[in-house]
Structure formats: C-alpha cells, structure tokens
Amino acid sequence: MPEQALYLKWRPLSFDDVVGQEHITRTLRNALIRGRIRHAYLFCGPRGTGKTTTARLLAKAVNCTHEDAAKRPCNDCANCLAINEARFLDLIEIDAASHTGVDDVRELRDKIAFAPGEGSYKVYIIDEVHRFSGNAFDALLKTLEEPPEHAIFVLATTEIDKVPATIKSRCLQFEFRRVSLMELMRRLATIVEHESLSIEPAALELIARQSTGSVRDSISLLDQIVVDPEETITLPMTRTLLGTAHALQVAEVVEALAEQDIARGIQLINLAIDGGSDPRQFGQQLVTYLRNVMLAQTAGVELVEASQEERSTYAAMAKRFSRARLLNSIRAFNSAVNNYTGGWQPQLSLELALIEVLQGEEAPVTQATVTPAAATKPPPPASEAPQSRSANVEDFERAAASAPGEPPVYPAAKINDGWSDLLAQVYRYNKNLPPLLENAHVRAIEGNRLILGVTNEVFVPMIEAPKRARVVEQAIHDLHGVKLLVQVRAVDAVIVPEAAAEIEESPADDPLIAMARELGGVVEE
C-alpha cells in the first residue's frame, strides 16, 4: 500500500492542531460550549490555510458524544473515529467544481430532509462553492433560508468575491488568513522531529518562505525534498529541488536595477536560469526582495521578516532607488510572474521586465557626462574629434540606406578599433546604452550600413530601436565624420570569417598606404 502523504498524515485532528487560525477556532469552540450552532457557515481564504480541515473538525465536534463540550472533538468516541476514518455517513462532502449544475443542488435539497443516520447532525461541506453556476446558487438559496434543524452547511471558497451577496448574508462568515513564517517553521519543525528527519534550519526556513503562508503547501514541499529519510537535507539541496536561486543572485539583479545596468541584469538573469533556477520562482524571489526594499523605504525596515543583517541590506538598497523606479520594478516583475506560461525562452518575460523598467527612464543627455572609466581615457585624435555634436540627438538626421551591393563607404576596421571611444561618446547621450552595446560587435559595413552582430536575438530590437540607433549613429558621426545606418543581426558566433577578413584588412589594401608607396615611401610590416 502506498505511503500516505505528509499533509494527509499530519492533518489536524482537533482545534488545537490548527495552525495560525486561532481567531476562528476559538470562536467555534465557544459556540460549541454554549450550544450556539449556526445552520450555515462560509469559510473563505487562500488555499492550504485550513478551510476544509476546520469544516471537518466542526462536523466532528457537533456529532461528538463526549460529555464535556469543551473537549469536543474527543477523537475517542465512535462518531469521531468514523469521521477520522472517512466512513461517517452523515458527513457529506461535495466538490462544487464537478457539481456545478442546478440539478446537483436539487438532488442535495431532496436528500437533506432525511434525518441523520448515525450522529446528531448531517453536515454538508461544499468545497470551492464559487464554482457553482448562477442557477445552482439560486437553488441553494432556498435551502439556506429554511434548512432542517438537523442540517449544517459549511461552504468553503478561495474566491469570496464570486459568491453572491444573497448567499453571504445567510451564512456566518469566517476569513482564514495566511500563516506567518514563524508559525509555519514551528509546524514543520514538529513534523521533522516526529518523522525523525534531519534538515538544516536554513532549509526549513526556505521551505516555509516558498509556501507563501499555506500550511498544506509547506508540508507538501517538505515531503517533496525528503528523498532519503536518513540523509541530512541541506540548503543547497533544497534550492536545487525547489528550483530557487541563491539569495546572492537575486540581490545582484536588484543591484543591476539600482545601477541601471541593463546588460548586467540580463546576464545575471540568464546565469540564474541556466543554473537551474525556475523562472517563476526566480521572479517571485525578485518581487519579494523588491517588496522588502519598498517596506524599508516607506514604512520602516522593522516590518521585514528577516535577520538584522538582511534588514541592514534592505535599508541600504532602499536609499539607492527612487520611489518611482522601485514601484515600477515591482509591478513589472510581478506581472512577468503572473503572466508566465513557460515556452521555449523561459527567461524572456524576466528580461523584458528588466528592460521595460530601465528603458522608461531613458532621456536625452544635454550636458557632457562621462563615466569614471571614460574620463581616464586619452582624448581621441584630432582627426577623429567630435565635429558637429548636436545638443539633442533627436536633431540628428539619419542617413538613407544605400543600394544593395555598394562598396563600403568607410573601413569597418576603424569602427572596430575605436569601439571603446565610441561607447564613451554614446554614454554622453545615453548612459544606459553602452552596457547594451557591449553585447554587440562590428561585423561589416555594407554601403553605408554598419552591421552589428549579437549572439542573442533578444538584443536585436533593443539596439535597432530608432531612438538607440540614432544615438549610435550620432556618436559615429561625432568621432569619424561619416554617417552610417546601424543594423543589427543575430549570429551564432562573435566573429565570422567574412567579418574577420574585412576587419583584419591587409595594409597593402589600405588606400593611404598605397598612395604613400606611389610617392616613394617605404612601409615597414
């Protein structure tokens, strides 16, 4: 016989075992002691927080035969044992997802008139009640208004907004909350101890965080990673099995957001996904990290559930973000996670989210600003000094594309050799563009078209966008005095033979060297 899953094995058998819902269990227990049992209850809240379990406990308590009402359910009487063993005929569980029609509710209404056969009450638990059709709710309404004295309804739902107000008004409503991190860790620690498992505290905390407040999910994740009960479960092993990234990788991506470094951020995302991290999980980790930074920036770092060292990190990071960029980052990555559907490019949604956040902040630079690295470079030769640098890139008139097959209007080798100077000049107009151009390389010049190659096709539309291409063309005109039209192509390698042959031109083919020889000069190779 297959071994029972941990979440079923450790399902609470009494109100004291329910985790994180004391506001509900205390109310129900007091109602049982005073004999104030309602005919209809509505349990709502996130999945895995104990709605169905509490409904079963209520059914067990109202049919328990223990003399002391405060000790119900006792789990010793015949009725309690029958419910625990799923053979109590007066407990009827209905899955509304598969019984959505009005005929199903009419059948229920016809059978409810019969008196209970074993216990004092017939308890109907309708799970995911929001899946009922409109007609089914209408048919249920009359039964909820005038139920038999021996019937109790417990409706459970994860989407309370889909339940009609007429149904809500006839039920006693309880809202189940997500369970806190510490309560989840205590519950998991109890299970680990009784199951004689060995697990590191950091791994236990990761499992609790990944469950996002769901007790059932946390126990299921624990069950998932227990491959060998004799083996110690470590944090790296847990990360691998759950598909989560190292906290340092998440922090580095947020660091790239703070530095507005698009290229670095995309590289880090790809490294994390290529290293085995699940894209959805990685996106959730990014949203969680950014949310903690937002809390530190707006409401105080004390609200963040983390160690003192981590809180200091969040507080320091909060000072590096503007409020607008931080909020945009959270929205973009949260949307990427919610809309994630897999696909052949799993990291694409995260890459686009990063680009959208930083691209929206781009603006023309009207004053000459250079990076520290660029400031230490020697000025370009006089022949390549800026000739007609305009104050606004938008004023630069782009060249019209030359006809196919025309010879190059400028040597590609000169563009390639002065690439670092070109990046420094581009930075004067757009500080976000040079990191992006580091993923490109010069392949050839065809007529007046400068062909740049990239090994990842995601960079093609990013660099070829008119706003960015105009910046590169303006910078080329500043340094080389020639108007070129930038085009980008996705390639399999950094350099191909045709481009290499053009870039590594022989000195004999250089027209200036040929002229020098005609005048009697000697060229030393």
Side-chain angles (χ1 to χ4, degrees), residues 378-391:
S383 60
E384 298 182 356
Q387 298 177 12
S388 58
R389 179 171 178 259
S390 60

Side-chain angles (χ1 to χ4, degrees), residues 158-177:
T158 55
E159 300 183 35
I160 187 63
D161 57 299
K162 294 184 179 180
V163 178
T166 52
I167 298 293
K168 296 178 187 177
S169 64
R170 288 162 174 80
C171 300
L172 185 60
Q173 185 173 333
F174 290 97
E175 183 175 353
F176 285 70
R177 303 167 183 166

Side-chain angles (χ1 to χ4, degrees), residues 442-508:
V442 178
R443 290 179 62 82
I445 292 181
E446 301 173 356
N448 69 343
R449 296 190 297 272
L450 171 64
I451 309 301
L452 299 180
V454 292
T455 55
N456 191 333
E457 63 182 8
V458 74
F459 295 111
V460 174
M462 294 165 56
I463 299 176
E464 260 192 347
K467 184 176 179 181
R468 297 192 180 96
R470 186 189 299 272
V471 171
V472 180
E473 293 163 6
Q474 169 75 74
I476 292 173
H477 185 262
D478 292 344
L479 296 177
H480 300 276
V482 61
K483 283 192 174 184
L484 299 177
L485 194 66
V486 172
Q487 292 186 358
V488 187
R489 297 175 184 173
V491 296
D492 295 330
V494 173
I495 280 292
V496 294
E498 302 88 65
E502 181 175 358
I503 292 174
E504 297 174 2
E505 293 174 323
S506 170

Side-chain angles (χ1 to χ4, degrees), residues 257-321:
L257 273 172
E259 295 291 339
Q260 304 179 55
D261 193 339
I262 293 178
R264 172 72 173 157
I266 290 178
Q267 290 169 356
L268 291 168
I269 290 173
N270 279 270
L271 284 174
I273 305 306
D274 293 344
S277 298
D278 178 72
R280 185 189 296 275
Q281 295 277 15
F282 189 62
Q284 291 173 345
Q285 289 177 267
L286 285 171
V287 173
T288 300
Y289 194 103
L290 289 167
R291 175 182 175 271
N292 290 338
V293 174
M294 179 191 69
L295 291 177
Q297 186 184 81
T298 57
V301 76
E302 294 77 14
L303 287 178
V304 180
E305 290 185 351
S307 65
Q308 192 59 42
E309 182 179 355
E310 290 174 325
R311 287 179 176 179
S312 300
T313 302
Y314 293 135
M317 186 63 71
K319 298 177 181 178
R320 303 177 60 184
F321 274 92

